């Protein structure tokens, strides 16, 4: 049987869309129940007799994985082989900066770049939001204020993405799909208004899909969330995910300092002195407790 490689560009439960080496696309199904290909995967496929679909028989080695913890505390892979993660917040629904931090933590664990996108900037931006964005920039993250509605800074976001593979993530209703439509100059993705009653986003993206931009970059649209937790399997994972805490931790008295109640903690001292932001430190603390729940199998 002839076998060849393909790139996973969209997932629909047990059905997959792949791109072949000549640029053509094809539908594929998965062989067996153990294989779980996701967007970004390189897979081995083979033709099926008397069928237009291909059969995925193996998944290639992954350079990195974007993970999350499911409701049972298990590890779930969302996308692979990424170059950049862009997490979107907006004026509506109200930004959850702790969710933004956890996505950036995931980017740090993958060793890829992180971008913070504040969409709907045509609406009034609260002073605390401006402070958050300035803080992310001070940490070395790109922070772009956009309006998919008016087109403000869409070109700036396109330049941040460049020619890389970027996944667009964030809360439901922040305008991820609309942003991608603006980046692609087309109405590629279904969009929906924010619920007026609850001012929360409605889930409009039911699968992950890959969209190639004219400038050479590629984005993955992913389902919106109301919360997100990366798979944090150790305290080291948490510390690695918060770059400013990781750097200051080298000055702690004890090498195994967890930066909670330990004496001689340089991280706590920096928070007290105001050189480390208290809100980010609280986000770090929550991630530490989250990792402990995951390790103990008590995550819900």
């Amino acid at each position: 049987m002839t076998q060849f490689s393909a790139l996973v560009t969209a997932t629909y439960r047990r059905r997959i869309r792949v791109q072949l080496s000549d640029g053509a696309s094809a539908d594929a199904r998965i062989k067996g129940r153990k294989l779980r290909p996701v967007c970004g995967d390189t897979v081995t496929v083979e033709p099926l007799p008397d069928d237009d679909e291909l059969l995925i028989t193996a998944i290639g080695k992954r350079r990195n994985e974007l993970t999350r913890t499911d409701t049972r505390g298990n590890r779930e892979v969302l996308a692979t082989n990424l170059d950049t993660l862009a997490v979107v917040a907006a004026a509506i629904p109200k930004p959850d900066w702790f969710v933004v931090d956890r996505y950036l933590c995931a980017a740090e664990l993958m060793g890829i770049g992180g971008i913070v996108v504040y969409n709907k900037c045509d609406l009034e931006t609260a002073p605390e939001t401006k402070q958050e964005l300035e803080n992310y920039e001070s940490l070395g993250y790109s922070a772009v204020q956009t309006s998919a509605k008016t087109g403000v800074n869409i070109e700036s976001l396109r330049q941040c993405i460049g020619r890389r593979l970027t996944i667009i993530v964030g809360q439901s209703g922040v305008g991820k799909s609309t942003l991608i439509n603006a980046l692609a100059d087309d109405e590629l993705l279904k969009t929906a208004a924010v619920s007026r009653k609850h001012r929360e986003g409605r889930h409009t993206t039911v699968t992950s899909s890959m969209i190639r931009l004219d400038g050479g970059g590629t984005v993955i649209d992913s389902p919106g969330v109301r919360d997100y937790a990366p798979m944090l399997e150790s305290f080291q994972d948490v510390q690695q995910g918060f770059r400013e805490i990781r750097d200051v931790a080298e000055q702690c008295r004890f090498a195994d300092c967890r930066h909670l109640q330990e004496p001689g903690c340089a991280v706590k001292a920096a928070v007290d002195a105001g050189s480390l932001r208290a809100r980010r430190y609280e986000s770090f603390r929550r991630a530490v407790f989250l990792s402990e729940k995951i390790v103990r199998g008590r995550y819900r």
Side-chain angles (χ1 to χ4, degrees), residues 164-179:
R164 295 180 289 272
L165 174 59
T166 302
I167 188 166
I168 310 291
V169 296
Q171 295 170 262
S172 300
V174 295
K176 297 184 303 298
S177 296
T178 308
L179 273 175

Side-chain angles (χ1 to χ4, degrees), residues 63-67 79-86 103-115 140-141 164-169 240-241 243 246:
R63 177 163 52 89
N64 56 47
E65 298 176 333
L66 176 62
T67 66
T80 64
N81 303 320
L82 300 168
D83 299 311
T84 314
L85 180 149
Y103 272 118
L104 293 177
C105 176
E108 294 289 332
L109 292 176
M110 287 188 288
I112 65 174
I115 303 171
Y141 294 109
R164 295 180 289 272
L165 174 59
T166 302
I167 188 166
I168 310 291
V169 296
Q240 178 67 23
R243 55 174 60 172
R246 179 181 69 217

Side-chain angles (χ1 to χ4, degrees), residues 1-289:
M1 181 70 68
T2 302
Q3 293 187 330
F4 45 94
S5 294
L7 174 67
V8 175
T9 58
T11 56
Y12 309 90
R13 295 181 183 273
R14 297 292 295 176
R15 288 294 190 272
I16 305 292
R17 191 75 172 166
V18 298
Q19 185 180 64
L20 309 181
S21 59
D22 62 359
S25 294
D27 292 324
R29 66 182 68 169
I30 305 167
K31 182 178 182 179
R33 294 184 176 274
K34 293 184 178 181
L35 292 179
R36 297 185 182 276
V38 296
C39 267
D41 272 332
T42 298
V43 294
T44 301
V45 297
E46 61 184 40
L48 289 167
D50 303 319
D51 199 322
D52 292 335
E53 288 190 329
L54 301 172
L55 182 67
I56 297 174
T57 59
I59 299 173
K61 185 177 179 180
R62 291 167 169 172
R63 177 163 52 89
N64 56 47
E65 298 176 333
L66 176 62
T67 66
R68 73 177 174 190
T69 307
D70 67 17
T71 55
R72 297 183 179 180
N74 298 319
R75 186 174 191 271
E76 182 179 358
V77 180
L78 304 177
T80 64
N81 303 320
L82 300 168
D83 299 311
T84 314
L85 180 149
V87 53
V88 184
I92 299 174
K94 183 179 179 180
D96 188 334
W97 300 111
F98 295 108
V99 170
V100 172
D101 287 344
R102 289 194 287 272
Y103 272 118
L104 293 177
C105 176
E108 294 289 332
L109 292 176
M110 287 188 288
I112 65 174
I115 303 171
V116 179
V117 182
Y118 184 73
N119 194 30
K120 306 182 185 180
C121 71
D122 50 299
L123 304 177
E124 184 177 358
T125 302
E128 55 268 26
T129 293
K130 295 179 181 178
Q131 292 176 0
E132 293 288 353
L133 296 175
E134 289 173 359
N135 186 60
Y136 286 123
E137 287 186 318
S138 72
L139 296 175
Y141 294 109
S142 297
V144 186
Q145 298 187 53
T146 62
S147 171
K149 180 179 180 180
T150 65
V152 170
N153 285 336
I154 296 300
E155 185 57 35
S156 296
L157 178 57
R158 187 181 286 113
Q159 290 177 7
C160 285
I161 291 172
R163 302 181 67 85
R164 295 180 289 272
L165 174 59
T166 302
I167 188 166
I168 310 291
V169 296
Q171 295 170 262
S172 300
V174 295
K176 297 184 303 298
S177 296
T178 308
L179 273 175
I180 294 174
N181 284 338
L183 288 167
D185 296 321
D186 199 358
E187 289 294 323
L188 294 173
L189 302 169
K190 180 183 177 183
T191 59
V194 172
S195 166
R196 291 185 179 179
K197 180 178 180 181
H198 300 293
R199 300 181 79 82
E200 293 181 344
R202 299 169 180 166
H203 295 266
T204 58
T205 306
V206 295
T207 63
S208 294
S209 57
M210 187 179 293
I211 299 97
R212 297 191 182 277
L213 307 179
D214 289 341
T218 304
V219 295
I220 295 176
D221 184 39
S222 62
V225 302
R226 289 186 173 86
D227 198 4
Y228 168 75
M231 190 65 186
L232 301 169
E233 300 178 283
S234 68
F235 169 77
Q236 288 71 27
D237 282 350
V238 181
Q239 182 168 276
Q240 178 67 23
F242 288 77
R243 55 174 60 172
E244 72 273 40
I245 291 175
R246 179 181 69 217
D247 293 341
V248 176
E250 297 178 359
Q251 304 169 27
C252 289
R253 181 187 301 177
F254 302 107
D256 60 349
C257 183
R258 296 170 69 247
H259 323 308
L260 299 176
Q261 300 295 335
E262 295 81 359
C265 175
V267 171
K268 284 283 292 177
V271 174
D272 293 340
S275 57
L276 282 184
R277 188 138 189 243
R279 211 249 346 127
R280 278 277 292 181
Y281 174 70
E282 174 59 24
S283 191
F284 166 81
R285 289 181 70 255
R286 294 186 186 190
V288 171
F289 298 140

